Structure formats: C-alpha cells, structure tokens
C-alpha cells in the first residue's frame, strides 16, 4: 500500500475509532446503570421480605437495666457491636466499648471476634481471639447477655 | 421449569455483547491498520485476530464458568490491555510481543487469584509468609537492585527484570484487609502497622516516590475505611506532608522535579524534556488525533511505559483519551460498589484497597503527563508496557473478580431464600 | 459493615471528583494552551512537516497573497520589500525566528495538521500534500502605510483593531526585518530586539495613558469626584525625597477633573492615586487584564503588569500617572481604548479570518468573543466624554480626523535607563467613535518625544487612512 493511501485510510479510521469508543462508553454507562438498578432491586427484595436474616440476638439481661429485655437484634452479614453510633448494632450501655466485637456469619456458625481487650464470653467461657457460636448459644458482651438464634442457611 | 425461570429473572444481567463487539472491532481495525503501516506486517494481522479473541473468549468463557464475575470490570481491563498493546506495537513491535506474553501470563494469574479469593478460606495462613516475602524482596532490591531514572527498584534476573514494589502493593492490600477485618484497636494493629511502615520505609530507601505515595495512601485509605478513625489518618497525612517537605528540602532531585512541574519550558531540553515532549505530543494530536502511524509518538521519551498516555492521545486524539479516563472511572465505580455490597469486611477492604491503588496510580500518571501534578514515575494500569506492572494489575483484577463472585453468590443465595420464604409465607 | 459501606462510598466520591477534575483540567489545558505547546520550537514535527508538506498561503483581509509556496517548494512573498518588512512580525518566517508569527503560530493549519478527510482525499494523487490557506484580518496596505509614515529614526509599535469584532487590522513593530531573509539583520537591530513583536510583546512604561485607568478607578471609588477641583502648581511634594512633577513644571493652576485629564495633569492624578490607594488601583487594572494571562486562540499577547507591591507613597503617586514599575503592552492598551469605544466591553483580538482547505472547504474563524465588561455604562460615558475632549481641545488635538469624532489620550513616558537620559516614549491610545469605522489604535514611538505631537499626529494619519481603505 502506498503512503498516501495509508494516510487517507488512517485519517478516516480516526472517526471510526472515535465512533466505536463513544459507542463503548455510552453502552457501558447504560449497562452499568441498569446493572446497578438490578442489584439494588435484589438487595431491596432481600431486605423487604425480611428473611435475609440469618441470625438474631435476643437480649436476655442487662446489668444496668437500661435496655429492654427480650429486644431482638438482627445480624446481617458482618456486624459490629459497640457503643459508638457508627456500629451496626449500637448499644447504649456503659459496659460496652466503642467497638466491642465483630460478628460474622460463616458456614459453620456465627464467628465472634472481640475487639481489643473487650470482654466477650460464649456460654460462660471468655473469648480471647475468636470463637464459633451455634444456635442457642449464650453470648455475653460486657454486662449484656444475649441468646443466639441461628437459622438454617441453604448455601 | 417456569418457576425457576421466574426465580432467576431479576438476577439476569444485561448482556454486553455489543460492547464486546465494538471493542473487538476497535482492536482489530487498529491492528489491521498497523499491519499496513510501513510495508506489510503479518504479525500485526495475526494480532488483529488474536487480541480481540483473547478479550471476547475470556469474557464469554469466564462469564459462563462464573456467572457472578463482574463482566464490566473484566471487559474494561482487557480492553485497556488491548489499547496498550496497540500503542506499544505502534512504537515497538518487539516490546508489544513481550507485553502480549505478560498479558497472557497475567490472565492466568488473574484466574488463579480469582479462584483463591472466591474459594480459599484460610487466608490467615498466608499472612506471615506474605509479610516475610514482601520485606525480603524489598530488602533484596536494595542490595542487588538496578538503578533506573534515579530509583533503585528493579531486580535483574538476566532474562527478566522484576519490580518487587509492584507485587508488595498487592501483598500489602491482602495483609491490611486480613488484619483490619478482625482487629480494630490500635494495639491489635501494631504488627500490620509495622509491616506497612517497613514496606513504605524500604520503598523510600529505593527512592521510588510513586510507589511510596501509592503504598502509603492505600494503607491510610484502608485503615480509614475499616475504623473511621479520621483523626489518625489526618495525623498520618500531616506527618507525610511533613516528610515530603523534609524530602523536598533534603533531596535536590525532588526539588528539580517540582521545579520542572512548575515550568517545564524553562528547561525544555534537559530536565523538562519529558513533559515538554509529552505536552507537545498531546497538542499535536488534537481532538481527533493524527491517526495511527501518522503522528510521531516516538518523540516522547519512555513513550511505552510512563508516557504512554501522551503517545495514545497523539494518535488516537483527546476524545479517546477522555473516553479512557471515563472507562477507568467506570471500573472504579464497579469496584467500589463491590465493596459496598460485600458482606464481610475482609472482602470490602480488599476491594477498597485495590480500587484505591489503581485509581491513585491512574490519577498520578495521567495528571503528571498533562502537567497537572508533579510527575511521579508510575505506570498506567493495564495499558503501560512492563511485566511487573501488568502482572500486579492482573492480580488486583483477580482480587476484584474473586470478591465479585463471593458477593454475587451470597446475593443469589439470600435472594433465593428470601423468595422461598416469601412464597411459602403467602 | 454499615460504616465500611459509608466510608467506601466516601472514598468513591473522592476518586470520582479527582477524575472529574483531571478530565476538566485536561480539556481546559489543551483548549487554552494547545496551540502554544504545538508551535514551540521544540516540536520537531513541525520541521519534519515543512519538508514533506507544502505550506498553504497566507492572505490579508483583502485577499492579497502575503506568502505562498512556489512550484519548487520554496516559500515566496509576492509583495514589495517594503510590505515584507512592514508585515514581518505578523507573517513571521519559516525558520521560526519570530515564533509568534503566522508562519509558525498558525502552522497547524498551514501545514495541514488539522486537515479533514475530504481535504486529504482531494489530494490523493498529489505528490506532496498541501496545507490550508489562512486569511488574516490584517490589512496589508494599512500596515505598509504605517511603516511608511513611522518616524525613520525611531523604533516602536502600532496596533489597530476593530473594537466591535476584535479583528486586528494592523500590528506593526519596528525595528523590522525582511521575512525573505530572516537571518539578515544587523547586530544593532538584534540588540534592539528585532525579532520581538513589540505590538504584542513589548512592555513599555505607559506614562499618562495609564491615567485612563486611574480615572476609571477614581470614578468608581470616589463619590462626586467629577465636581472636584485640583490646584496644580507644577510640583507637589509627596514625601520628603519624592516630588511629583508635571512635564513642563509650570503648573496648570486650578483645574476640574476633566481639565486635569485633558491637560494630562500629573499633580491631580498623583493625588487621586494617593487617595485611592494601591489596592483599588490594582483591582481596576487587573480587571482590565493587567497581571492576567491572555490565552487568545490566534495570537500570543503578553499582559501588561501592575506591580505586585508598591513601596511608598511617592511610588504610588507616580504609578497613578503611569510611571514607576508599571509596564504596558501596546495591543493591550489598544484593547482598553477599544473597550471604552465599545460601551465598556473588551473583545478578544482575532487574527485569523478564514481557513480554506484544498477541497474548497472554508472555515470562518471570526467569532467575536467578549473578554471582559471593563466599565459600567455611566463610568464609560464619562471616560468617552473626557477622551473626546482630550482630542478636541486637550493634548491630543493632532489626532483629529476630519469627519469623525476621535477619542484618545496621549502619554509621554519618562524612561530612566542606566545608559543615561533618553527622550521619553510617545504614546497615543484612542478610538474613532463611529459605527462604520469602529477602530481603536495604540501608537508607541520609543524615545519619540511628546505624546501629543508625535504619537497623536501619527495616530490621526493612521486612523484617517484606516477609514478610507479598510473594508
């Protein structure tokens, strides 16, 4: 191919490339926004039906007697418990640290990880690093005692 | 059967076949043009078939095998790799073939990483080996490393040169996410903190400013995400600024960099040469670009790696430059959405770390090339020539894909459960 | 997880903002500086293109070909040698000795870097590709006339623009050189800066023409300043060491503000400057483009400078009358005068009229862009009144043009160079108050003597010629 033919071709191809690039971009934006809508709809549906819950904590007793007995706390995915407002479950109790412990739902049960030197006990046994809780277990955080309800997860 | 279809309907993702087709056409035409540039080049014609196929096959096959893979991230990353290959091939066909090899190895590494993140549970077993390996490789670089452009950040293996700081970035993100997902108090974070500071310190000694900045800011961002401890982060940033000022005062080469950034035209033939030529190249291309083969991107120094954005803008035009910036932005949005959908902090923090690292790197090099910020020698993710950079980007891509699979599976199972309960409840 | 989600969203916002800024800056930088970057001497693409592409023609506003490429590929200038010299800084040369000339600064068009596919297709069988033809807004005849009547022994600059559209009619700079022999100038001329376009890049002490700005600032900031009277005894002691003097030192007696302006009384304006203070004066000057950054698309214009800090009161008083550390660029002052003629609106100067490619496509490049509303309507009308009075009965009488109302201000700028005493620079800035001939002018004659008799006279002749020949 001679040089001037190549030049003409390449100069024309610029518009082709720009057209394709803009098409890719717009189509991408379109698909991504649609995908995000679908994802949001799915998570809404999970939340709305209220059965996305895989674990609940029921408050059994409170040292300070400030919190109401029998109150239910829902654990969705990974959950932080603490005194700070940023926590997923935030408990106004003096015996609870800012971020007291992290709970996460695993295949085998609920994983309990205390943060720092916060006092956490499972069925009366203090937890130092981490522990796995099963259905019906008694979880003590500071001066609060909870009963754990785990629902069967169909993985 | 009906029931099942109804069950899966909302989970059906929009298809991206048209995007894939457009991308494949883009890459194919570019390589066909390159084949006829300066005579006839059969290799380029093979690439015109091969590179789009690599993209399409990857997205379709992997998408089939793992339905919860984030196809957008995968498509964008591969398209960027393809564009990189085109620009590199235009500048130096030998380098492009090497890059193609790295790209191929990168894809395999990405799949391995994806599978590991998605299926492997005992990550804490890797914690100590990762840390030791990172510190060890950085220390080794300091001892036996090779110095290029003022930074001593390469290990030469003869047939292959390695830049350990690129991989340390990935290890750092993994370790940070592991520790921060379970530990939140400062006392608990001492080991990982020491590790991170050690890495940053060693890279400072290597004088690799770009990598220092990325590692440091990634640490800060991931730490902030996990703990919301803004005070400490601000304190850290303040300390870093202090350190930067100190470095500016102490090291003359930092001063020259800043002076070059302020006015590259003062020293257009020595210090400011790179940026001056980069700006000239971008301006010469203009909005539409000069057309493939019609510009002179080879006038830009290190056009295949650090300054590839300038070379790209010259021949493809500023519009495509902006489209590429937008594609990066979409990739980051998708990645961050993964972090927001994740159910465990480990996965969320992984995504945040990876996205921060990629975004910082992209911002720093494009900003440097267009003289918005002082130039720090980092590569443009997925596009720039360089084995270490390509492989580490692919590893990070693998992390994102792994998180995506986990998030998608959890979404689906929860959604199914919710659906079933809802139906049985009716 | 709640807080992690929140933080992730925050970080995403930061990233997206950073990328939006990045794209914005990218676009802005190319838009504003693209041509400047492209035409630097370090762009080796240009010299490469010069050997492989036939450069297009440069024409003036009447279609006169100023520069063309002959069949052998050499650049020729089919105009008289006087015209070549008169237009030297506008045309520039192929060696880019004057990098702001059209040959270099407009090379994206001339060398076909911006050619479209139709242009390329039309030349498919041509041996060598040819760039586009560029028509300038310059009137070659007017500029040759200016060169002809400019004092032989003095250097200087003249800028003439159409203040309504921004078209630059003339940009004359002396010493000149011959674009046909770009390296052929004497050592003395080189020392004097023969390769600098003084009309766009010369920075002179403005002298009394700066009183326009002091006046505008006073009208804006001092209530009822027009009713004031000033007592001028020829000398006024600002500080112990610094006296403010009038040129002749005899004193104007009692003056109104208008008289002070038309007679160009230093005492009155020095006092006004002292009353206004440095900050207000600087604010007005900067609004008019001083210390700014002109990014016009067709030509590079340096901005005039107002000192960043003024030492003492004496210096402030002298700044108010256009001395001190002030510097002024002729085309910029031409634009300021034009703004007063154009009801206070300053328009951007434009040098390129049309670009014609080889496929016959004509791109009209003239589109008037407003740079800045400089003065409010009331203040502008006062400025107009005073400037007209200056030409009718004040220092600018010699600039009158029969049949037209001319407004203007003269300046006689003292230059204290280390080399010893020089004659002052003679300045005239002004405009024709007419809808048919909306021309603004700025004349600077270096060491030419009195502004009124030298520059004013020259301006009158040039404006008269412009009304006759410019279409």
């Amino acid at each position: 191919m001679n040089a001037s033919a190549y030049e003409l071709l390449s100069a024309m191809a610029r518009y082709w490339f720009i057209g394709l690039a803009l098409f890719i971009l717009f189509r991408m934006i379109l698909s991504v926004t649609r995908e995000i809508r679908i994802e949001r709809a799915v998570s809404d549906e999970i939340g709305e039906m209220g059965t996305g819950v895989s674990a609940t904590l029921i408050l059994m007793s409170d040292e300070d007697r400030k919190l109401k007995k029998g109150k239910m706390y829902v654990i969705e995915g990974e959950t932080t418990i603490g005194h700070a407002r940023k926590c997923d479950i935030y408990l106004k109790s003096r015996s609870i640290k800012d971020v007291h412990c992290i709970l996460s739902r695993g295949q085998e049960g609920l994983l309990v990880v205390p943060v720092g030197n916060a006092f956490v006990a499972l069925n009366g046994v203090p937890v130092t690093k981490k522990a796995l809780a099963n259905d019906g277990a008694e979880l003590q955080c500071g001066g609060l005692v909870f009963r754990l309800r785990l629902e069967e997860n169909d993985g | 059967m009906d029931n099942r279809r109804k069950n899966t309907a909302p989970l059906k993702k929009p298809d991206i076949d048209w995007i894939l087709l457009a991308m494949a056409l883009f890459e194919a035409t570019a390589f066909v043009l390159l084949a006829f540039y300066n005579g006839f080049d059969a290799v380029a014609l093979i690439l015109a078939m091969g590179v789009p196929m690599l993209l399409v096959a990857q997205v379709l096959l992997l998408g089939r095998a793992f339905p919860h893979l984030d196809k957008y991230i995968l498509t964008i990353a591969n398209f960027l790799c393809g564009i990189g290959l085109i620009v590199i091939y235009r500048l130096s066909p030998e380098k492009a073939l090497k890059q193609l090899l790295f790209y191929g190895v990168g894809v395999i590494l990405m799949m391995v990483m994806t599978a590991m993140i998605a299926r492997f549970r005992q990550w804490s077993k890797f914690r100590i080996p990762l840390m030791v390996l990172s510190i060890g490789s950085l220390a080794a670089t300091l001892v036996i490393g090779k110095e290029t452009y003022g930074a001593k950040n390469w290990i030469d293996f003869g047939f292959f040169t390695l830049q350990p700081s690129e991989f340390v970035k990935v290890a750092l993100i993994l370790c940070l996410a592991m520790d921060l997902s379970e530990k939140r108090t400062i006392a608990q974070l001492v080991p990982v903190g020491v590790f991170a500071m050690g890495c940053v310190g060693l890279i400072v000694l290597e004088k690799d400013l770009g990598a220092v900045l990325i590692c440091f800011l990634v640490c800060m961002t991931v730490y902030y995400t996990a703990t919301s401890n803004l005070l400490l982060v601000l304190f850290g940033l303040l300390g870093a600024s202090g350190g930067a000022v100190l470095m500016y005062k102490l090291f003359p080469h930092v001063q020259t960099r800043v002076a070059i950034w302020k006015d590259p035209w003062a020293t257009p033939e020595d210090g400011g040469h790179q940026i001056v030529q980069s700006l000239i190249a971008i301006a010469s291309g203009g909005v539409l670009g000069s057309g493939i083969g019609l510009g002179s991107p080879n006038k830009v120094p290190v056009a295949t790696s650090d300054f590839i954005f300038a070379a790209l803008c010259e021949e493809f035009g500023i519009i495509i430059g902006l489209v590429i910036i937008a594609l990066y932005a979409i990739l980051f949005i998708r990645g961050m959405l993964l972090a927001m959908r994740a159910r465990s902090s480990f996965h969320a923090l992984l995504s945040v770390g990876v996205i921060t690292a990629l975004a910082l790197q992209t911002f720093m090099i494009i900003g440097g090339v267009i003289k918005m910020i002082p130039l720090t020698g980092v590569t443009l993710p997925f596009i720039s020539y360089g084995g270490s950079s390509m492989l580490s980007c692919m590893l990070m891509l693998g992390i994102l894909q792994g998180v995506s699979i986990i998030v998608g599976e959890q979404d689906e199972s929860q959604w199914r459960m919710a659906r079933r309960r809802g139906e049985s409840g009716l | 997880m709640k807080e992690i989600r929140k933080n992730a969203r925050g970080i995403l916002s930061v990233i997206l903002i950073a990328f939006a800024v990045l794209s914005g800056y990218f676009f802005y930088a190319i838009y504003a500086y693209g041509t400047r970057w492209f035409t630097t001497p370090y762009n080796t693409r240009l010299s490469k293109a010069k050997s492989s592409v036939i450069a297009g023609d440069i024409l003036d506003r009447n279609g006169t070909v100023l520069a063309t490429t002959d069949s052998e590929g050499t650049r020729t200038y089919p105009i008289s040698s006087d015209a070549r010299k008169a237009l030297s800084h506008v045309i520039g040369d192929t060696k880019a000795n004057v990098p702001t000339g059209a040959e270099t600064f407009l090379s994206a068009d001339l060398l076909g870097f911006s050619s479209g596919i139709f242009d390329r297709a039309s030349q498919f069988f041509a041996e060598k590709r040819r760039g586009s033809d560029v028509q300038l807004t310059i009137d070659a005849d007017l500029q040759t006339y200016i060169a002809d009547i400019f004092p032989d022994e003095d250097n200087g600059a003249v800028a003439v623009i159409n203040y309504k559209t921004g078209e630059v009619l003339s940009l004359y700079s002396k010493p000149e050189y011959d674009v046909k022999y770009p390296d052929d100038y004497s050592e003395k001329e080189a020392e004097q800066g023969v390769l600098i376009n003084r009309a766009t890049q010369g920075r002179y002490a403005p002298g009394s023409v700066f009183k326009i700005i002091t006046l505008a600032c006073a009208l804006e900031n001092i209530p009822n300043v027009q009713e004031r009277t000033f007592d001028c005894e020829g000398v006024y002691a600002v500080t112990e060491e610094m006296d403010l003097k009038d040129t002749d030192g005899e004193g104007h007696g009692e003056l109104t503000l208008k008289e002070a302006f038309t007679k160009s009384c230093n005492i009155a304006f020095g006092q006004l400057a002292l009353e206004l203070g440095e900050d207000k004066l600087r604010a007005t000057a900067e609004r008019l483009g001083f210390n700014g950054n002109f990014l016009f698309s067709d030509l590079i214009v340096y901005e005039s400078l107002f000192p960043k800090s003024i030492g003492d009161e004496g210096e402030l008083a002298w700044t108010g009358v256009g001395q001190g550390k002030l510097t002024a660029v002729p085309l910029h002052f031409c634009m300021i005068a034009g703004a007063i003629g154009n009801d206070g609106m300053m328009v951007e100067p434009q040098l390129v009229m049309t670009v014609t490619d080889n496929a016959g496509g004509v791109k009209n490049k003239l589109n008037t862009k407003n740079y800045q509303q400089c003065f409010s309507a009331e203040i502008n009308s006062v400025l107009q009144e005073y400037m007209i009075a200056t030409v009718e009965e004040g220092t600018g009488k010699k600039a009158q043009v029969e049949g037209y109302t001319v407004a203007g201000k003269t300046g006689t700028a003292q230059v204290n160079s280390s080399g010893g005493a020089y004659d002052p620079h003679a300045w005239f800035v002004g405009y024709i108050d007419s809808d048919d001939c909306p021309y603004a002018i700025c004349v600077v004659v270096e060491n030419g003597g009195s502004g009124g008799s030298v520059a004013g006279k020259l301006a009158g002749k040039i404006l008269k010629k412009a009304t006759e020949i410019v279409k």
Side-chain angles (χ1 to χ4, degrees):
Chain A
M1 200 187 295
N2 76 21
S4 78
Y6 176 82
E7 209 177 300
L8 188 64
L9 210 67
S10 179
M12 285 199 304
R14 293 183 302 179
Y15 299 95
W16 166 250
F17 287 129
I18 287 170
L20 281 177
L22 291 177
F23 173 81
I24 291 169
L25 182 65
F26 289 128
R27 192 74 202 198
M28 196 62 114
I29 291 171
L30 217 72
S31 301
V32 165
T33 42
R34 208 168 58 185
E35 172 109 18
I36 290 171
R37 260 209 311 276
I38 290 171
E39 281 160 10
R40 189 150 301 163
V42 167
S43 67
D44 280 355
E45 204 165 344
I46 294 170
E48 234 171 65
M49 296 200 172
T51 42
V53 181
S54 51
T56 40
L57 287 177
I58 304 153
L59 186 65
M60 302 303 287
S61 72
D62 175 12
E63 261 182 2
D64 299 347
R65 295 174 193 284
K66 267 190 191 159
L67 295 166
K68 212 169 159 192
K69 205 177 152 189
K71 194 167 175 186
M72 295 224 306
Y73 297 94
V74 174
I75 296 171
E76 282 176 288
E78 195 178 296
T79 305
T80 48
I81 293 182
H83 186 252
R85 204 169 262 277
K86 65 184 184 186
C87 292
D88 298 311
I89 295 176
Y90 105 90
L91 303 166
K92 272 190 184 169
S93 167
R94 230 178 297 154
S95 60
I96 298 276
K97 297 199 169 232
D98 271 4
V99 182
H100 198 90
C101 64
I102 307 169
L103 309 177
S104 51
R105 183 82 170 91
Q107 295 285 327
E108 305 84 16
L110 188 76
L111 191 68
V112 182
V113 182
V115 172
N117 51 3
F119 177 74
V120 176
L122 196 61
N123 296 328
V125 185
V127 181
T128 49
K129 268 186 98 177
K130 52 177 111 174
L132 208 59
N134 296 315
D135 189 26
E138 190 187 84
L139 180 70
Q140 189 181 354
C141 297
L144 304 178
V145 181
F146 300 93
R147 170 87 55 214
L148 179 67
R149 282 270 165 266
L150 276 183
E151 287 172 52
E152 209 42 46
N153 200 343
D154 67 339
Chain B
M1 191 60 195
D2 257 337
N3 198 19
R4 187 185 287 171
R5 191 173 299 154
K6 198 178 148 204
N7 267 346
T8 52
L11 285 176
K12 192 178 175 329
K13 310 281 160 98
D15 58 57
I16 56 168
D17 297 350
W18 286 106
I19 298 175
L20 274 181
L21 180 68
M23 285 177 173
L25 278 176
F26 188 108
E27 293 177 351
T29 18
F31 275 116
V32 167
L33 265 178
L34 281 174
F36 291 103
Y37 170 65
N38 264 353
F40 178 74
D41 183 358
V43 181
L45 268 191
I46 298 169
L47 287 182
M49 298 281 288
V51 176
M53 258 171 58
L54 195 55
L55 163 78
V56 175
Q58 215 184 118
V59 176
L60 292 186
L61 291 179
L62 284 181
R64 181 70 50 89
F66 305 96
H68 296 295
L69 209 70
D70 196 314
K71 282 189 200 166
Y72 301 96
I73 293 180
L74 189 67
T75 321
I76 292 176
N78 275 288
F79 181 57
L80 293 175
C81 291
I83 287 193
L85 277 173
I86 295 164
V87 178
I88 297 167
Y89 196 90
R90 157 73 177 91
L91 290 161
S92 146
E94 305 91 72
K95 279 189 177 177
L97 293 178
K98 267 175 138 178
Q99 176 83 344
L100 186 66
L101 181 72
F102 296 136
Y103 177 31
V105 176
V107 170
I108 295 168
L109 270 186
M110 176 199 75
M111 292 195 281
V112 172
M113 197 69 189
T114 308
M116 278 178 72
I117 294 281
R119 299 283 174 258
F120 189 68
R121 303 279 171 206
Q122 273 88 38
W123 275 97
S124 47
K125 279 183 191 157
F126 280 157
R127 195 166 146 255
I128 301 293
L130 268 179
M131 287 183 175
V132 171
L133 211 64
S134 301
I135 295 285
S137 64
L138 285 176
T141 320
L142 267 182
V143 181
I144 57 166
K146 200 173 72 172
E147 196 161 325
T148 43
Y149 297 112
K152 196 175 183 183
N153 53 0
W154 293 89
I155 297 182
D156 198 342
F157 287 106
F159 59 99
F160 177 65
T161 51
L162 191 84
Q163 196 176 354
S165 56
E166 290 281 353
F167 297 99
V168 168
K169 216 159 50 187
V170 183
L172 196 61
I173 293 170
L174 281 169
C175 292
L176 280 169
M178 264 180 249
D179 275 28
L180 279 164
S181 63
E182 292 184 357
K183 298 158 191 171
R184 302 282 162 90
T185 62
I186 293 173
Q188 282 178 316
L189 290 172
V190 167
V192 76
V194 167
F195 167 62
M197 282 199 302
C199 287
V200 172
L202 282 169
I203 304 173
V204 169
L205 291 179
E206 287 180 3
K207 289 187 273 181
D208 188 349
L209 285 181
V212 170
L213 218 64
I214 290 173
C215 288
F216 177 75
L217 288 175
V218 164
C219 291
M220 284 295 152
T221 317
V222 175
Y223 175 75
Y224 168 73
T225 314
T227 60
S228 306
N229 191 343
L230 201 59
L231 206 70
L232 196 85
V233 169
L234 287 181
F235 190 71
L237 289 179
L238 214 70
S241 323
V245 172
L246 200 74
M247 272 167 83
Y248 178 79
K249 289 263 161 67
L250 285 180
F251 297 115
H253 77 272
V254 181
Q255 284 170 26
T256 28
R257 281 233 186 147
V258 174
I260 287 168
W261 166 65
K262 274 188 183 154
D263 188 11
W265 303 96
T267 50
E269 266 156 354
D270 38 299
H273 178 64
Q274 291 184 331
I275 295 186
V276 161
Q277 286 302 329
S278 150
L279 295 178
I280 289 175
I282 296 173
S284 301
V287 175
L288 299 176
S290 64
I292 295 179
L294 304 185
S296 317
N298 41 0
K299 295 275 191 315
V300 184
V302 275
T304 49
S305 57
D306 291 12
F307 283 89
I308 198 160
F309 189 71
L312 190 155
C313 280
E314 174 170 4
E315 295 209 322
F316 282 101
I318 288 160
I319 296 183
I320 291 191
L322 286 171
V323 168
I324 284 176
I325 294 179
L327 287 179
Y328 273 113
I330 293 177
L331 197 157
F332 303 145
I333 292 174
R334 289 297 303 172
M336 260 331 176
L337 284 177
L338 283 179
M340 289 181 220
R341 284 163 60 206
R343 278 169 189 67
S344 83
S345 51
F346 175 58
H347 297 115
L349 294 177
L350 275 181
S351 305
V352 170
V354 166
I355 293 302
T356 312
L358 289 177
L360 265 174
Q361 205 174 327
T362 313
F363 183 82
M364 276 162 59
I365 191 61
I366 296 184
V369 163
I370 64 174
K371 199 181 91 71
M372 185 168 134
I373 51 173
L375 186 75
T376 35
V378 293
T379 53
L380 189 58
F382 303 111
I383 298 187
S384 281
Y385 171 73
S388 303
S389 138
M390 175 57 101
L391 295 186
S392 84
C393 287
M394 280 302 191
L395 283 175
M396 292 200 256
L397 182 64
I399 292 179
L400 284 181
Q401 297 300 5
V403 173
S404 175
I405 289 176
I406 288 188
V407 170
E409 282 172 354
Q410 283 171 340
D411 261 0
E412 190 177 346
S413 78
Q414 278 211 353
W415 181 82
R416 277 183 201 289
M417 202 165 76
R419 227 342 127 85
R420 204 157 51 235
R421 298 289 159 82
E423 270 165 11
S424 62
L426 282 176
Chain C
M1 285 309 290
K2 190 174 70 184
E3 62 168 313
I4 290 183
R5 256 172 228 147
K6 203 184 81 199
N7 293 339
R9 185 174 300 134
I11 290 161
L12 179 62
S13 316
V14 172
I15 292 176
L16 290 183
I17 290 169
F19 273 74
V21 171
L22 184 77
S23 324
Y25 176 87
F26 185 37
F27 205 79
Y28 156 78
I30 293 297
Y31 178 77
Y33 293 96
T35 317
R36 284 157 174 74
W37 291 342
F38 177 67
T39 55
T40 53
Y42 312 105
N43 190 355
T44 43
R45 292 163 186 81
L46 286 181
S47 46
K48 198 176 131 199
K50 271 176 193 154
S51 62
S52 64
V53 178
I54 302 168
D57 296 349
I58 300 175
L59 302 100
D60 89 335
R61 63 184 295 117
N62 304 315
T64 313
V65 177
L66 305 180
T68 184
T69 311
D70 67 11
S71 54
E72 280 145 33
T74 33
R75 199 74 170 148
T76 57
Y77 306 90
I79 40 176
S80 68
S81 79
D82 284 348
R84 278 203 310 261
K85 285 186 173 173
L87 291 157
S88 53
H89 294 91
V90 172
I91 300 176
D93 53 274
T94 47
K95 296 181 111 179
N97 285 344
V98 176
T100 55
E103 289 274 35
T104 308
F105 198 67
L106 303 177
S107 52
D109 287 320
L110 288 171
L111 295 175
F113 277 87
S114 49
S115 300
I117 40 171
F118 292 114
D119 190 354
R120 286 169 199 261
S122 72
Q123 307 182 53
F124 189 68
F125 295 106
E127 211 170 295
K128 253 183 166 185
R129 215 156 67 79
R130 191 174 177 282
S132 304
D133 298 335
V134 176
Q135 185 179 24
L136 305 179
T137 58
I138 297 285
D139 189 308
D141 295 334
L142 179 65
Q143 187 145 341
T144 316
Y145 174 75
I146 293 171
D148 191 30
I149 64 166
F150 204 87
D152 286 337
E153 60 281 5
D154 294 323
N155 293 330
V158 177
V160 184
I161 63 168
N162 178 324
Y163 59 74
K164 287 206 188 298
T165 60
E167 288 163 89
V168 178
L169 303 174
S170 277
L171 272 184
Y172 175 67
S173 171
K174 199 182 166 192
E176 347 159 288
Y177 72 114
D178 192 333
V179 286
K180 198 172 170 189
Y181 312 105
D183 295 328
D184 197 9
Y185 45 83
S186 69
E187 220 165 86
K188 188 182 159 223
E189 281 171 326
E191 233 168 71
Q192 290 171 337
V194 65
L195 299 177
I196 292 167
N197 186 348
R198 288 166 147 74
T200 53
Q201 286 165 305
R203 282 184 169 137
Y204 296 101
S208 300
V209 289
F210 189 77
K211 283 176 188 156
I212 298 172
I213 290 143
T214 313
L215 173 66
C217 185
L219 289 170
E220 279 162 13
N221 292 302
I222 305 174
N224 300 326
V225 70
Q226 278 181 268
E227 279 97 67
R228 239 188 239 193
T229 56
F230 300 86
D231 192 23
C232 166
E233 291 163 353
V235 184
Y236 172 73
V238 186
T239 59
E240 281 176 10
E241 310 91 69
M242 186 80 88
D243 286 343
L244 194 61
K245 282 192 209 112
D246 260 331
T247 324
D248 41 14
E250 278 174 22
H252 297 104
E254 200 170 272
L255 293 158
T256 62
L257 180 67
K258 186 172 178 181
E259 284 166 340
F261 185 79
T262 56
K263 290 182 178 164
S264 196
C265 175
N266 283 353
I267 310 298
F269 277 86
Q271 286 171 349
L272 281 177
L274 288 174
E275 188 176 338
L276 287 165
E278 169 185 351
D279 294 338
K280 282 182 180 148
L281 214 50
R282 185 181 296 117
T284 304
E286 287 186 347
R287 199 181 64 228
L288 301 184
F290 275 75
N291 301 344
N293 185 11
F294 292 137
L295 294 170
F296 307 134
S297 53
D298 300 346
L299 69 175
I300 293 176
V301 183
Y302 284 9
E303 58 290 337
S304 306
L305 298 176
F306 190 94
K308 290 278 176 214
S309 70
I310 292 177
D312 57 13
E313 298 235 294
E315 206 184 322
L316 176 60
W318 277 111
T319 305
V321 301
Q323 300 287 162
K325 287 182 203 141
L326 277 171
T327 58
V329 176
L331 181 58
H332 182 205
F333 266 67
C334 187
M335 286 154 61
I336 293 174
I340 296 167
N342 195 25
D343 300 325
M345 176 60 80
M346 190 189 277
V347 294
E348 292 191 1
Q350 311 222 5
L351 188 64
V352 182
M353 215 160 167
T354 57
V355 173
T356 311
D357 67 24
N358 294 285
V362 180
K363 266 186 281 177
N364 189 6
K365 292 278 192 162
L366 268 190
N367 51 336
T368 304
K369 281 183 224 143
N370 290 335
Y371 179 71
Q372 174 82 45
Q373 178 75 38
C374 295
F375 311 106
S376 70
E378 296 155 50
I379 286 165
N380 197 63
S381 66
V382 178
L383 291 173
Q384 284 186 343
E385 183 196 330
Y386 284 19
M387 284 172 75
I388 290 171
T390 306
V391 174
E392 273 174 2
E393 61 214 25
T395 53
K397 277 183 200 152
K398 293 226 165 68
Q400 289 169 5
V401 177
E402 214 185 314
Y404 291 94
T405 313
V406 177
K409 178 79 193 82
T410 59
T412 308
Q414 308 297 330
V415 269
N416 305 316
S417 184
S418 53
Y422 286 99
D423 280 343
H425 291 339
W427 276 84
F428 182 86
V429 303
Y431 64 91
I432 301 179
D433 189 16
S434 151
D435 283 340
D436 300 327
C437 300
Y439 306 139
I441 189 168
C442 174
V443 177
V444 185
V445 183
E446 289 175 26
N447 314 116
S450 153
S453 57
V454 179
K457 194 171 154 196
L458 210 53
K461 282 187 185 171
I462 296 166
L463 287 175
K464 185 163 185 293
K465 188 79 174 174
T467 59
E468 286 163 5
I469 64 167
V470 174
K471 281 172 247 72

